[in-house]
Amino acid sequence: MKIIISHDVDHISAWEHSKDLIIPKFIARALIEWCFGYISTSEVKGRLLSVINNKWNQIEELMEFDSSNSIPSTFFIGVMNECYLAYRKDIASKWIEKIRLKGFDVGVHGIAYNSFNNMFEEYKTFKKLSCLDTFGIRMHYLRTTDNTFQNLARIGYVFDSSEKAMKNPYKIETMWEFPLHIMDGYIICRNQRWQNRKFKDIQHITINYLENAQRKGILYFTVLFHDRYFSDTFKTWKEWYIWFVTYCKELGMDFISYRDAILELDNLM
């Protein structure tokens, strides 16, 4: 079993949220987690400072870590705004260039999911900004309808990773669907918007996911870790990601990109 790691970029800065309620919710979340003993006082202070300092992404830090650990991760960048994804296209373009210059792949963090025309416009916008001819997508909040995957294939995406299921990759016309197996928030936050699990419990759940995937013969185990959480202000999240990478290496598992996985899958067909 090989590991595919990807990162959704939901936020670039705090101040891009001046017209929504994300900052008050962010502060309330920190206080709830602190009151229940899941984060420290220093983490709360650090999160408040991140708002003042307008630093809500950890893309550079995460690229440095992934690079040093030979992880060919994929970063999904948004080029439309909705559901608290609020950074501008010119900001997206700057980060797409930075990520590619560091040797990482980039794809669309999709907003449009229920209108073919809007989905196609999003595809064209990303293609223009990235200067890429082929790329993949993951939907923001994993939003889909019965027609989403078929439309993505018709539009021309090489792969999608928006279905959450313990399944192997499969083809929809010419597009590969890579089901998502672990998302950070789903195992660290149990049915809530805030952290409500301790580190040892999260480790145990992660190991169960990996063992279950191996029993089911999963070829490519896909993991989503949001760049924002690679920070000492989200200590449990950051430590979990570092532990996960180390644990997989100790098991002798290889890390692979979506693109290289597609090459392997196409050769098997």
Side-chain angles (χ1 to χ4, degrees):
M1 186 168 73
K2 296 183 179 180
I3 310 295
I4 299 177
I5 289 182
S6 60
H7 309 296
D8 289 358
V9 180
D10 290 345
H11 312 280
I12 300 294
S13 70
W15 298 352
E16 68 200 28
H17 294 288
S18 60
K19 296 180 181 179
D20 59 43
L21 296 174
I22 196 76
I23 292 175
K25 289 182 177 181
F26 174 73
I27 295 170
R29 170 187 171 181
L31 294 174
I32 290 169
E33 292 178 353
W34 176 73
C35 285
F36 283 100
Y38 289 102
I39 67 173
S40 64
T41 302
S42 63
E43 285 176 89
V44 176
K45 290 179 180 177
R47 293 186 194 184
L48 294 176
L49 281 174
S50 74
V51 176
I52 296 169
N53 295 331
N54 200 29
K55 177 74 161 73
W56 265 22
N57 80 81
Q58 304 292 327
I59 301 172
E60 295 275 13
E61 295 84 350
L62 197 48
M63 286 194 294
E64 182 179 346
F65 176 83
D66 284 359
S67 180
S68 67
N69 284 277
S70 301
I71 299 171
S73 52
T74 299
F75 288 77
F76 291 102
I77 304 288
V79 294
M80 294 178 67
N81 296 152
E82 195 175 299
C83 291
Y84 297 126
L85 197 156
Y87 49 88
R88 304 189 311 268
K89 291 184 182 67
D90 60 316
I91 301 295
S93 179
K94 181 185 79 170
W95 280 102
I96 289 169
E97 183 179 9
K98 281 188 174 185
I99 292 165
R100 292 192 64 201
L101 284 172
K102 290 285 188 178
F104 294 95
D105 195 18
V106 288
V108 180
H109 197 24
I111 292 296
Y113 71 100
N114 58 3
S115 163
F116 180 86
N117 290 337
N118 290 343
M119 292 166 72
F120 189 45
E121 282 302 312
E122 187 173 40
Y123 173 86
K124 290 191 295 183
T125 300
F126 185 87
K127 185 173 184 178
K128 181 179 179 181
L129 292 178
S130 67
C131 300
L132 289 170
D133 291 324
T134 60
F135 44 88
I137 184 170
R138 172 180 293 119
M139 288 297 170
H140 190 42
Y141 286 113
L142 306 181
R143 297 186 303 172
T144 61
T145 68
D146 291 340
N147 299 319
T148 299
F149 299 123
Q150 202 72 30
N151 285 338
L152 292 175
R154 287 174 56 202
I155 286 167
Y157 284 100
V158 176
F159 70 88
D160 170 74
S161 190
S162 302
E163 180 186 12
K164 190 175 185 299
M166 190 59 74
K167 297 193 295 190
N168 268 313
Y170 60 92
K171 241 180 176 180
I172 303 170
E173 296 183 10
T174 60
M175 182 185 81
W176 279 100
E177 177 64 31
F178 286 85
L180 178 62
H181 301 125
I182 282 186
M183 180 164 74
D184 46 16
Y186 283 176
I187 61 169
I188 296 174
C189 307
R190 180 183 54 223
N191 301 322
Q192 297 290 351
R193 293 281 187 176
W194 54 83
Q195 181 181 335
N196 53 18
R197 281 185 170 131
K198 297 290 188 178
F199 188 69
K200 286 190 178 296
D201 295 329
I202 298 163
Q203 284 178 305
H204 181 67
I205 292 165
T206 304
I207 291 169
N208 284 343
Y209 267 94
L210 284 167
E211 291 177 347
N212 185 35
Q214 288 179 310
R215 283 194 299 269
K216 293 192 173 213
I218 298 298
L219 299 174
Y220 302 98
F221 189 81
T222 58
V223 179
L224 163 57
F225 179 77
H226 292 80
D227 71 283
R228 181 188 184 193
Y229 298 126
F230 197 72
S231 164
D232 291 336
T233 63
F234 289 92
K235 186 179 178 183
T236 302
W237 303 67
K238 182 179 179 179
E239 289 185 351
W240 171 77
Y241 182 66
I242 294 171
W243 166 82
F244 176 78
V245 168
T246 304
Y247 183 74
C248 289
K249 284 186 171 185
E250 289 173 350
L251 292 177
M253 294 179 175
D254 294 326
F255 296 90
I256 191 171
S257 67
Y258 287 108
R259 289 185 186 270
D260 286 341
I262 288 169
L263 290 176
E264 291 186 352
L265 287 165
D266 285 339
N267 287 332
L268 290 173
M269 295 182 69

